[in-house]
Amino acid sequence: MSGFSVFTENSLLKQLAMCRIITLVLIGFTVLTGCKYKSDSGALQSEAQTEPRGAGNLAYRWAKVALAATANNTDLFKPRPTVTSRYLALIHIAAFDAWSRYDASAVPVYLTGVERRPAEDYSLKNKETAISYAFYHVMREYYYTDSTMFLDFMVSLGLDPNNTSIDPASPIGIGNLAARAVIEARRKDGSNQYGDEPGSNGEPYFDYTNYQPVNTPDKCAYVDRWQPKYFADGKGGRFAPSCLTPHWPKVKPIALKTPDQLRPPPPPKVGSEQMDQEVKELVDMQANLTYEQKALVEFMRDGPRSVQQAGHWLIFAQYISVRDSHNLDEDIKMYFLNQCAAMDAFIAAWEAKMYYDNARPYALVHHYYKDKIIKGWASPEKGTVKMKGKEWRPYSPDTFLCPPFPAYVSGHSCVSGACSRALQLYTGSDMFGQEVKLVPGALTELPENFGDTITMKFPTLTQTAEMAGISRVLGGYHVQADNIAGLELGRNVAQVVWEMYKKHVGM
């Protein structure tokens, strides 16, 4: 799972417990360790002040709070990229819906029965107030364990978190109504957020479809199909994680008509020339990883406090906000587009994953190279050595050897393809222009095997998405077919989301 953070120090939130984190920073692209994510503070702007831009606008600052909550949620519940993408999309839809009532042409997604305010009400303060109440209440619903952080941020803005007005003529009422509309509209959207779908056990996000893999962790009877694998539990034992949210193809998308609307063609089968070549390619790549490639794998995989791919691309969008000096209106619209693309891309990717139920390289390499001697990465202690094919593993820690769900298509590739294309469409340019300093091996190797600090460049959005995709092949999580189909699926999703976006912003 991937993720970064961009949070600054804030005395208001220093009651949050300090902890060691391993994550990567995107804005400025620096390495961050040593504390929990924090939001920034500062009262709402007065009308006499110049409108804040970039990192100063309130849409940007609320997005930072959402990312902080996402990282904390990962700590508590482990990486759940599908769930995270839903949270972040719905949070930004609520803010967009509240903001839309102070825009001359925007149309809300879920908010109904609230008239557009007259032009004389389109003040920055009204917009900031409306979006703040929308952000606050939706995040309290989805990231309920961080309610205190959200409350503190509201107080720092000079807003009363306990004001529950639903007056459709006031910015507070509009924000509260926008939050309520999103929460209610998505209550029964197939995600099983409340554990109350027929066939569920009462546990949030429980798989009510009763998916059962055809292979067991100990026996791969159907080599083309997904096989669960054993992870270390960090306590000297091991366990085989069950498939993560296999019911996600039943989640209602935002822009797609159905989850299978853009389903890609079937993946190559074991024994086909394409699969033979792609498994060999993957083994050769992993056996010869350079320090730069290891850094790329780790940058896109990230550590335990990940904000996953949706959050990853939200932070990429935040860099664009700073780069292009966005105001609140521009960020509200860009984050809305960006996160809707991520959510629908995850739904489409999971639909393909569960429909094809395809094998990951972990099992494929064991099948193709079983007792043959190959080179591979054995462990942090052993590094890259000669081994039997049945001993091969991805370049990943024992506690998270490979993602616990089918391979085709790559979720990293699909979401990166979708969000990169969405940001291209929004900005009218493929230019990105960021770079990051990384220590190769820092998330995987022993310290004595770390490489020297390198600088990785991300010149365009397209290249950034392709780097995210190829990182999954280099790391041993996907063959190229998973990556290429994922990028294409994501880009196709973005086009559908873009048409929806144009309708809602009045283009």
Side-chain angles (χ1 to χ4, degrees):
M1 306 299 140
S2 299
F4 321 105
S5 173
V6 292
F7 303 106
T8 57
E9 290 296 327
N10 172 12
S11 59
L12 179 64
L13 298 177
K14 282 185 177 177
Q15 72 244 34
L16 296 176
M18 302 296 285
C19 72
R20 179 179 182 272
I21 65 171
I22 305 175
T23 191
L24 300 169
V25 180
L26 180 58
I27 302 303
F29 274 165
T30 56
V31 174
L32 172 68
T33 57
C35 63
K36 260 192 183 262
Y37 292 20
K38 300 178 177 66
S39 64
D40 55 352
S41 63
L44 293 179
Q45 299 291 314
S46 72
E47 294 306 308
Q49 291 178 297
T50 302
E51 181 173 2
R53 290 183 173 270
N57 85 68
L58 196 54
Y60 182 103
R61 293 163 63 198
W62 270 113
K64 286 173 62 180
V65 177
L67 286 162
T70 302
N72 295 341
N73 190 264
T74 301
D75 263 3
L76 289 172
F77 301 107
K78 299 183 180 180
R80 301 183 296 178
T82 48
V83 174
T84 293
S85 71
R86 178 176 175 271
Y87 287 166
L88 289 174
L90 299 185
I91 286 166
H92 285 92
I93 289 173
F96 176 87
D97 281 7
W99 168 86
S100 76
R101 303 299 77 197
Y102 295 93
D103 181 78
S105 56
V107 178
V109 179
Y110 295 119
L111 180 62
T112 59
V114 177
E115 297 296 324
R116 193 183 310 278
R117 300 304 303 154
E120 57 266 26
D121 283 359
Y122 295 1
S123 67
L124 177 61
K125 184 175 181 180
N126 282 345
K127 292 175 184 178
E128 289 181 327
T129 300
I131 69 164
S132 291
Y133 279 90
F135 272 118
Y136 174 66
H137 287 294
V138 176
M139 285 200 285
R140 285 190 68 204
E141 177 75 9
Y142 299 142
Y143 291 129
Y144 53 88
T145 58
D146 268 320
S147 292
T148 300
M149 181 170 68
F150 310 143
L151 184 148
D152 287 345
F153 189 65
M154 286 286 281
V155 171
S156 79
L157 298 175
L159 299 173
D160 178 7
N162 297 314
N163 191 328
T164 58
S165 168
I166 53 173
D167 177 2
S170 76
I172 295 173
I174 288 172
N176 288 337
L177 287 167
R180 177 188 293 183
V182 168
I183 292 166
E184 290 307 312
R186 301 301 300 199
R187 187 173 292 277
K188 298 289 288 184
D189 67 355
S191 65
N192 200 23
Q193 177 187 344
Y194 303 98
D196 57 358
E197 289 284 350
S200 185
N201 67 350
E203 178 185 337
Y205 303 107
F206 180 81
D207 172 32
Y208 55 92
T209 66
N210 194 33
Y211 167 78
Q212 298 294 326
V214 297
N215 296 308
T216 69
D218 299 302
K219 184 177 181 181
C220 190
Y222 303 89
V223 71
D224 274 313
R225 304 282 293 278
W226 179 62
Q227 180 189 21
K229 289 291 185 179
Y230 286 112
F231 290 16
D233 63 6
K235 303 175 183 177
R238 64 177 189 168
F239 71 105
S242 58
C243 184
L244 179 71
T245 58
H247 62 286
W248 218 248
K250 291 186 173 293
V251 176
K252 183 180 179 181
I254 303 296
L256 295 176
K257 293 179 180 177
T258 60
D260 63 354
Q261 179 180 339
L262 301 172
R263 181 189 293 160
K269 293 292 186 181
V270 169
S272 68
E273 182 179 358
Q274 181 180 352
M275 183 61 86
D276 295 351
Q277 292 175 348
E278 291 195 3
V279 174
K280 181 180 185 304
E281 174 191 42
L282 175 141
V283 170
D284 290 344
M285 280 182 169
Q286 201 232 44
N288 296 286
L289 287 177
T290 66
Y291 280 129
E292 290 77 10
Q293 290 170 333
K294 288 181 178 180
L296 178 62
V297 171
E298 293 179 315
F299 180 69
M300 296 300 180
R301 186 187 75 219
D302 201 16
R305 285 184 52 76
S306 169
V307 292
Q308 293 117 71
Q309 292 81 48
H312 183 157
W313 279 93
L314 176 56
I315 299 177
F316 283 166
Q318 289 199 303
Y319 165 71
I320 290 174
S321 173
V322 173
R323 184 195 72 188
D324 296 349
S325 193
H326 281 185
N327 63 16
L328 180 146
D329 293 359
E330 291 166 323
D331 265 8
I332 284 288
K333 292 185 287 186
M334 181 174 66
Y335 300 156
F336 166 61
L337 170 64
N338 177 270
Q339 291 303 294
C340 286
M343 178 173 168
D344 274 15
F346 265 116
I347 293 170
W350 248 249
E351 194 284 326
K353 285 178 182 292
M354 302 315 301
Y355 183 80
Y356 292 114
D357 195 32
N358 212 48
R360 284 194 177 267
Y362 203 156
L364 292 172
V365 174
H366 290 191
H367 171 77
Y368 271 91
Y369 291 93
K370 192 174 180 181
D371 289 316
K372 296 178 182 178
I373 301 299
I374 61 174
K375 281 180 65 180
W377 187 80
S379 69
E381 294 76 20
K382 297 178 182 178
T384 300
V385 299
K386 290 183 178 180
M387 62 175 67
K388 288 184 177 181
K390 62 187 177 184
E391 298 169 346
W392 182 92
R393 58 180 283 178
Y395 179 70
S396 213
D398 289 340
T399 52
F400 196 85
L401 279 172
C402 65
F405 38 83
Y408 184 84
V409 297
S410 164
H412 275 69
S413 301
C414 187
V415 174
S416 296
C419 291
S420 63
R421 180 59 56 83
L423 291 172
Q424 287 175 49
L425 291 166
Y426 182 85
T427 62
S429 170
D430 194 29
M431 182 179 69
F432 190 44
Q434 265 302 290
E435 58 184 41
V436 57
K437 292 186 183 299
L438 299 166
V439 177
L443 298 181
T444 313
E445 308 275 5
L446 296 176
E448 55 265 31
N449 294 325
F450 291 178
D452 294 334
T453 300
I454 65 167
T455 299
M456 190 174 297
K457 297 178 186 273
F458 299 87
T460 69
L461 291 162
T462 296
Q463 288 172 290
T464 303
E466 291 173 349
M467 291 168 75
I470 197 63
S471 78
R472 307 303 285 172
V473 182
L474 291 166
Y477 313 111
H478 288 284
V479 294
Q480 276 284 24
D482 305 340
N483 170 39
I484 292 169
L487 287 168
E488 182 178 2
L489 175 59
R491 289 163 181 157
N492 291 338
V493 168
Q495 291 298 143
V496 177
V497 175
W498 175 247
E499 295 304 316
M500 179 275 296
Y501 167 83
K502 289 194 296 183
K503 181 184 77 171
H504 283 287
V505 298
M507 290 176 64

